[in-house]
Amino acid sequence: MPPPGAPELRGDCADCFGLCCVALSFSAVEGFPSDKGAGEPCGHLRDDFGCAVHRELRPRGYAGCATYDCFGAGQKASRHTFGGVDWRQEPATAPAMFAVLPVLRQLQELLHYLAEARALPAAHPLHTELARVYGLTERLTLADADTLLVTDVARHRAEVVAPLLARAAELARGTRPDGRTGRGAGPRRLRGADLSGARFTGADLRGADLRGARLIAADLRGADLRGADLIGADLRGADLAGADLRDTLFLTQSQLDAAKGDSTTALPPRPVRPAHWGTAP
Ligand code: SF4
């Protein structure tokens, strides 16, 4: 298994046919400056598949592009699934190529989480099983386009990957940041809860189960989130200024990029501090 953050688990726009800039739709109501339909190339996509406004995405209103992470699906679809032949050279392949991207992205995201789980010291008893499921999932990503398009990713996630990640998280959350054992100090089971706009200023959320929680624009300033499980949590616009996110589980770069923070937000070694937050003290 590759380590978390390995090149094959991160988007590499230079090795991709600009797939997310064509395949995916966006709209003004989602915070983009205009509407774009799925399968329609963005007007800023260059002939070499680079982005003409890459350095100024946020000021131009493309925060959604700045926070998107394909987990390596773009280059895998471009180079492996479609053998390096792009949709401009072979327009007939375009519909399949664009349809494959979201399928591959979901699978690559699962690989990312499995690699993260493998790196948790407390998950050591699960290493063999994590490697087996990683291999199983990776094999799915290497299938041809027709097979990918009928792959039941939701079932694979629900029946194979999610239970294993939950076990890894339980093991990790069972070791509290203060070294004592137990379910963690997080008092609330907030899994999947809609906490949009909620006020958690200075809250003790250590070890909390926040899997899939909607924390859009939540006030988490100064909150202690050490050891909290944030897999799939929606942190768009959440204010993490001064919050402690060291040892959080399954925190992704796009979650951080979509949130607000400042130089006092304490982060794990990975992901990296978003440039628009400012620098650490
Ligand atoms: S603005 Fe740039 S990154 Fe966003 S969709 Fe358009 S070309 Fe792609």
Side-chain angles (χ1 to χ4, degrees):
M1 287 178 67
E8 61 263 47
L9 300 177
R10 295 199 316 259
D12 181 358
C13 302
D15 207 22
C16 172
F17 301 146
L19 296 185
C20 63
C21 306
V22 188
L24 309 181
S25 63
F26 56 64
S27 73
V29 293
E30 293 170 329
F32 285 86
S34 59
D35 295 340
K36 184 189 88 60
E40 174 190 330
C42 172
H44 296 301
L45 186 65
R46 299 187 314 222
D47 289 346
D48 65 356
F49 302 117
C51 171
V53 295
H54 178 67
R55 293 183 186 279
E56 43 190 0
L57 286 172
R58 287 182 184 275
R60 282 176 173 260
Y62 290 93
C65 299
T67 60
Y68 181 77
D69 188 351
C70 75
F71 298 101
Q75 70 260 32
K76 187 169 273 189
S78 300
R79 299 299 165 188
H80 178 80
T81 318
F82 290 91
V85 181
D86 71 66
W87 48 273
R88 286 187 177 126
Q89 292 172 269
E90 290 283 351
T93 65
M97 201 178 291
F98 301 153
V100 155
L101 178 70
V103 179
L104 260 184
R105 184 192 179 275
Q106 292 177 68
L107 290 169
Q108 288 290 125
E109 184 178 21
L110 295 180
L111 292 179
H112 163 84
Y113 287 134
L114 288 164
E116 289 282 340
R118 172 68 170 70
L120 295 171
H124 188 267
L126 300 177
H127 277 188
T128 302
E129 184 63 359
L130 284 164
R132 186 187 73 78
V133 172
Y134 188 96
L136 197 62
T137 307
E138 188 174 44
R139 277 197 292 282
L140 293 178
T141 71
L142 299 175
D144 60 33
D146 290 342
T147 305
L148 277 166
L149 290 175
V150 296
T151 299
D152 192 343
V153 181
R155 184 173 179 182
H156 179 69
R157 180 197 299 114
E159 295 183 1
V160 180
V161 180
L164 184 57
L165 293 178
R167 284 167 63 199
E170 286 297 301
L171 288 171
R173 290 167 59 230
T175 305
R176 292 163 50 149
D178 57 13
R180 287 179 285 161
T181 56
R183 185 55 65 85
R188 284 159 286 216
R189 189 180 177 86
L190 302 170
R191 181 183 301 186
D194 187 354
L195 304 167
S196 301
R199 194 150 182 259
F200 288 113
T201 320
D204 180 0
L205 292 168
R206 286 177 294 166
D209 182 353
L210 288 160
R211 299 167 72 85
R214 286 169 63 83
L215 287 157
I216 299 169
D219 186 349
L220 289 156
R221 287 175 297 167
D224 190 345
L225 286 147
R226 286 175 292 166
D229 185 351
L230 289 166
I231 194 167
D234 191 338
L235 292 171
R236 283 176 293 169
D239 195 342
L240 298 169
D244 192 343
L245 286 93
R246 292 172 294 171
D247 302 318
T248 47
L249 306 177
F250 304 119
L251 180 66
T252 66
Q253 189 66 56
S254 40
Q255 281 175 312
L256 274 193
D257 288 343
K260 295 187 287 186
D262 67 9
S263 62
T264 65
T265 307
L267 297 175
R270 206 187 43 257
V272 299
R273 184 177 302 272
H276 65 283
W277 283 14
T279 53

